[in-house]
Structure formats: structure tokens, C-alpha cells
């Protein structure tokens, strides 16, 4: 943290304002360090050529990137490294001398000078400089990531508590608080799903203990946590893995797996290492469909004169399409509507027809 403070210095006042407004806050992205990490992942292979995938995004967030690279260099977070260089020191010096440029500095400095200042660009082909993180830069990234993860896990645990307490209004306002804090998160890590009306309905169903689709008797502690994990899938997908591991560390997943094996429908949840993901997907789709169904029925109730004839099941993409073909249910056939999903890989959804 000292590193971050020194480098990007958040004032005490800002921190105080944050903590006054929200007891537990989601960490803020540090876009400069995100940029530094992007350099680590996809090094810039020429001094003037950025990665076309993220360059426009970081320019949008940070403005011109060259001054930031200079700052990173000055602070010793990155260094210019020369890859596959063909020119040796005496040759570099000779070129500099011919161009009336200083011949001081180590090989990388000499090469950079040739690259930057010599007018004859035919030398560039022999110099492939790229920015490389120094150990200090790598440590900075690691500290940032560790701290970010720690803070986000705390935040998510807090959110999980709110879901269990059925305190959806605070959960929602926290969620929107994060979204407000991170208007730029798209394409950095795409953190948030919306907390729209359907999400709200899904969370409500989860927090009000509406039954799972699977008929198994899980230990109550696991049931609670499963509800939270489904809720988090609805809201925040990319942090899911870390959060899940931390959150389930007191649960005996072997036991859960053997209970799951006894489900009366003999649904296949995959192998022991992987079943949880499938279970959460399956139950999430169930709650999502229940919410959608409720929305549709509510719509029907309010618009009795609408031209919709009933509910259809959209089933392109899972084996239900072959098995059941087109599935349409008029309003007086709703008793026959199957419960979704029908099997673990089913991705069918209800829709107005
Ligand atoms: Zn299906």
C-alpha cells in the first residue's frame, strides 16, 4: 500500500469521505496500474506501437500514454529492453557519432537514442525495443492486485450477508455505488451485470428461500451459501471464482457431491471437481426462469387485452430443441408448462408468445 500511496497518493480526505458514506467499499481501479499490467501481459514491441486492442481504451481512461510511460520509466517500474538487437555497442556509438549525438550511457540508452533521435530510420529494424516491467513494477502490480482482491472479497462477503438477511435495498444501493465508482470498468474486467428489475426479482426469490430446482437435502449451511453464490452469479461474474473458494472453505464439498448424486432425477452434474459450477449454473437458470415467468404473468395480469397468446419456450442451443421441437403454450395450457431447466446443460428460457 505504501507503494501505491507514494505513487498515486490518495488524500486522507477522499478516504474519509468514502468510509463515511459506506462502511465497506469496493476498491477502486487504478487505471495506471491496470495499464502497467497490460504492458506486462502484452509488451509493446516497438516504442511507438501500442497494442491495438487496449490502446484506445487506456487513452480514453488516461489521456496520452507516452507521458505515463515516461513516468513509469522514471520511477523504475519499467525498463526499455531490446530484443533481438543486431547492433552492438560500438556500432550504436558509431551511428550516434555520425549524427552528432551523445555516446554516453549503457546499451539500452544508446539504442533508445538511435531509435528516437537518429533521422535515418533504417536502423530501427535492428532495434526492437519494448517496455518490460522491472521487479519493482511487478511487485507494484502484485501489491495492487492482492489489496484489490482482499478489499473486493470483504465487500462481497458483506454483500452476501445482506442477501442472507434479505436486505436487498442496501445490497442494491451498494451495487449501484460500485457501478457509479466504476463507470469505466467495461473492457477492463467487465465486472458488473446489471441490477435491473429481473435481477432484483431473482435476488428476492433467493433471499426469501424459494425452493431450489434440484430435490436434494443439502446441509442448511450449504443451502444458504448456494443461494448467495447464485445471487452473485446474477450480479458479479468475474470475481466469482475467488469469492467462491474463500466463501466455501468451511464446506465439505465431497459430502455435497455425494448428496447431489442421490438426486431423484439422476441429473448429471459432472465430476467431483467440477460439479459446483454446473449446479450453480443450473439453479441460477432456474431462478432466472422463475423470475421471467413471474414477470410474464404479471404482464398478462396487467394487460389482459394484449395480443400475446401465451408462453413459448426458446430452446435453440440445447438438446430440448431436437426432443421437443417448437413448444408453445396458450394461456389456458399453462398447467402443462415444464419447469426449467430440464437437465443440467439445458439453456431453455420462457418467453412471451
Ligand atoms: Zn433445454
Amino acid at each position: 500500500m505504501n507503494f501505491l500511496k507514494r505513487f498515486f497518493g490518495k488524500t486522507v480526505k477522499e478516504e474519509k469521505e468514502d468510509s463515511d458514506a459506506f462502511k465497506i467499499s469496493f476498491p477502486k481501479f487504478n487505471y495506471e496500474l491496470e495499464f502497467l499490467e497490460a504492458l506486462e501481459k502484452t509488451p509493446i514491441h516497438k516504442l511507438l506501437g501500442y497494442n491495438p486492442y487496449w490502446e484506445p481504451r487506456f487513452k480514453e481512461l488516461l489521456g496520452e500514454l507516452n507521458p505515463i510511460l515516461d513516468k513509469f520509466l522514471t520511477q523504475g517500474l519499467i525498463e526499455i529492453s531490446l530484443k533481438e538487437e543486431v547492433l552492438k555497442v560500438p556500432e550504436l556509438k558509431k551511428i550516434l557519432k555520425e549524427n552528432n549525438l551523445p555516446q554516453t550511457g549503457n546499451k539500452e540508452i544508446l539504442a533508445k537514442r538511435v531509435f528516437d533521435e537518429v533521422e535515418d530510420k533504417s536502423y530501427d529494424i535492428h532495434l526492437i525495443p519494448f517496455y518490460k516491467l522491472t521487479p519493482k513494477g511487478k511487485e507494484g502490480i502484485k501489491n495492487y492486485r492482492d489489496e484489490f482482491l482482499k478489499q473486493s472479497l470483504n465487500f462481497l462477503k458483506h454483500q452476501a450477508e445482506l442477501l442472507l438477511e434479505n436486505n436487498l435495498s442496501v445490497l442494491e444501493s451498494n451495487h449501484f455505488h460500485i457501478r457509479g465508482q466504476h463507470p469505466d470498468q467495461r473492457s477492463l474486467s467487465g465486472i458488473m451485470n446489471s441490477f435491473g428489475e429481473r435481477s432484483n426479482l431473482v435476488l428476492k426469490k433467493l433471499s426469501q428461500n424459494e425452493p431450489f430446482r434440484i430435490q436434494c437435502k443439502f446441509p442448511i449451511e450449504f443451502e444458504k451459501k448456494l443461494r448467495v453464490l447464485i445471487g452473485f452469479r446474477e450480479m458479479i461474474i468475474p470475481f466469482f471464482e475467488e469469492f467462491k473458494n474463500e466463501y466455501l472453505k468451511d464446506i465439505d464439498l465431497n459430502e455435497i457431491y455425494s448428496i447431489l448424486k442421490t438426486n431423484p432425477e439422476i441429473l448429471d452434474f459432472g465430476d467431483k471437481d467440477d460439479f459446483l459450477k454446473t449446479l450453480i449454473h443450473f439453479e441460477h437458470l432456474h431462478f432466472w426462469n422463475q423470475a421471467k415467468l413471474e414477470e410474464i404473468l404479471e404482464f398478462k395480469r396487467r394487460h389482459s387485452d394484449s395480443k400475446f397468446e401465451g408462453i413459448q419456450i426458446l430452446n435453440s442451443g440445447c438438446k430440448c430443441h431436437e426432443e421437443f421441437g417448437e413448444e408453445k403454450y396458450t394461456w389456458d395450457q399453462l398447467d402443462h408448462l415444464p419447469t426449467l431447466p430440464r437437465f443440467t446443460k439445458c439453456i431453455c428460457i420462457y418467453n412471451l408468445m
Side-chain angles (χ1 to χ4, degrees):
M1 270 316 271
N2 281 344
F3 165 83
L4 295 179
K5 279 233 172 75
R6 207 167 60 237
F7 199 64
F8 298 104
K10 189 180 179 186
T11 65
V12 174
K13 190 169 173 289
E14 278 173 5
E15 274 177 3
K16 193 166 180 300
E17 276 172 4
D18 277 354
S19 63
D20 280 350
F22 292 90
K23 267 189 216 152
I24 296 180
S25 181
F26 195 80
K28 285 182 179 169
F29 281 111
N30 181 315
Y31 298 128
E32 289 201 355
L33 287 178
E34 297 285 341
F35 175 47
L36 187 62
E37 192 176 36
L39 289 178
E40 167 85 338
K41 284 179 183 160
T42 47
I44 295 174
H45 285 287
K46 285 192 178 179
L47 282 177
L48 303 174
Y50 292 103
N51 179 310
Y53 176 69
W54 49 247
E55 182 192 356
R57 190 71 195 108
F58 280 109
K59 276 192 167 167
E60 217 178 298
L61 295 169
L62 293 166
E64 279 309 308
L65 299 178
N66 281 331
I68 296 169
L69 288 173
D70 288 341
K71 184 163 101 176
F72 287 162
L73 280 168
T74 311
Q75 305 227 328
L77 301 176
I78 55 174
E79 59 192 354
I80 294 169
S81 188
L82 293 172
K83 200 178 173 185
E84 303 164 41
E85 73 268 36
V86 176
L87 296 172
K88 304 291 176 210
V89 170
E91 292 160 304
L92 292 167
K93 284 192 172 171
K94 188 165 166 263
I95 296 164
L96 290 167
K97 191 178 177 189
E98 284 166 8
N99 286 273
N100 297 320
L101 291 164
Q103 297 156 55
T104 51
N106 63 24
K107 186 168 71 177
E108 287 179 351
I109 291 170
L110 297 173
K112 187 178 183 320
R113 197 174 293 136
V114 170
F115 192 95
D116 283 341
E117 296 176 42
V118 171
E119 266 174 51
D120 181 356
K121 294 297 170 201
S122 66
Y123 298 116
D124 288 3
I125 197 154
H126 303 297
L127 305 166
I128 308 178
F130 64 101
Y131 291 110
K132 191 175 90 177
L133 262 69
T134 60
K136 187 181 168 189
K138 286 181 184 176
E139 198 197 325
I141 296 285
K142 191 185 172 299
N143 293 342
Y144 167 61
R145 281 281 160 243
D146 289 351
E147 188 58 29
F148 195 94
L149 185 63
K150 208 174 88 192
Q151 285 185 36
S152 56
L153 288 180
N154 276 340
F155 177 82
L156 295 179
K157 277 187 204 165
H158 180 64
Q159 292 287 81
E161 288 301 315
L162 293 170
L163 180 55
L164 287 174
E165 289 164 14
N166 199 5
N167 195 343
L168 295 186
S169 60
V170 179
L171 179 78
E172 184 175 6
S173 76
N174 284 349
H175 187 78
F176 279 121
H177 174 64
I178 303 170
R179 293 187 65 188
Q181 238 186 3
H182 302 282
D184 306 317
Q185 42 76 24
R186 79 199 148 89
S187 93
L188 274 176
S189 56
I191 286 191
M192 300 310 150
N193 265 352
S194 67
F195 197 125
E197 271 177 49
R198 188 169 309 145
S199 286
N200 208 327
L201 202 48
V202 168
L203 297 172
K204 209 176 198 170
K205 287 176 172 297
L206 287 163
S207 64
Q208 290 174 349
N209 292 330
E210 285 198 16
F212 292 115
R213 161 77 176 78
I214 186 97
Q215 292 162 5
C216 278
K217 193 87 193 99
F218 291 125
I220 190 79
E221 272 315 302
F222 178 71
E223 281 206 0
K224 277 188 191 169
K225 295 197 163 187
L226 182 57
R227 284 177 193 281
V228 169
L229 292 171
I230 298 164
F232 276 77
R233 186 184 168 96
E234 177 67 28
M235 291 184 293
I236 307 170
I237 295 171
F239 282 114
F240 182 68
E241 280 303 315
E242 288 91 342
F243 178 71
K244 187 192 74 189
N245 295 339
E246 169 76 15
Y247 200 56
L248 292 177
K249 62 176 193 280
D250 299 327
I251 300 285
D252 180 358
L253 290 177
N254 288 327
E255 187 197 346
I256 303 300
Y257 186 65
S258 50
I259 295 172
L260 195 60
K261 282 280 201 187
T262 66
N263 76 80
E265 292 174 274
I266 325 175
L267 295 167
D268 177 14
F269 284 87
D271 61 27
K272 217 177 200 172
D273 297 327
D274 218 32
F275 76 90
L276 197 62
K277 212 168 134 191
T278 312
L279 176 62
I280 292 164
H281 164 80
F282 177 76
E283 290 297 345
H284 174 246
L285 196 61
H286 174 63
F287 280 96
W288 189 91
N289 267 310
Q290 290 299 307
K292 176 101 186 248
L293 188 58
E294 201 171 304
E295 267 178 17
I296 292 175
L297 296 177
E298 176 66 13
F299 176 85
K300 160 86 169 104
R301 203 177 58 76
R302 289 193 189 185
H303 305 85
S304 50
D305 56 340
S306 86
K307 61 184 185 347
F308 292 104
E309 293 163 36
I311 295 175
Q312 60 180 330
I313 296 179
L314 299 181
N315 59 11
S316 56
C318 55
K319 72 181 182 195
C320 301
H321 188 61
E322 279 171 31
E323 206 165 310
F324 304 104
E326 222 176 44
E327 294 181 88
K328 295 184 168 177
Y329 299 84
T330 55
W331 297 121
D332 54 4
Q333 294 174 322
L334 294 187
D335 285 351
H336 304 290
L337 203 64
T339 304
L340 298 178
R342 284 181 273 221
F343 63 105
T344 52
K345 299 266 161 61
C346 175
I347 53 168
C348 290
I349 57 170
Y350 300 121
N351 208 30
L352 266 170
M353 161 182 88

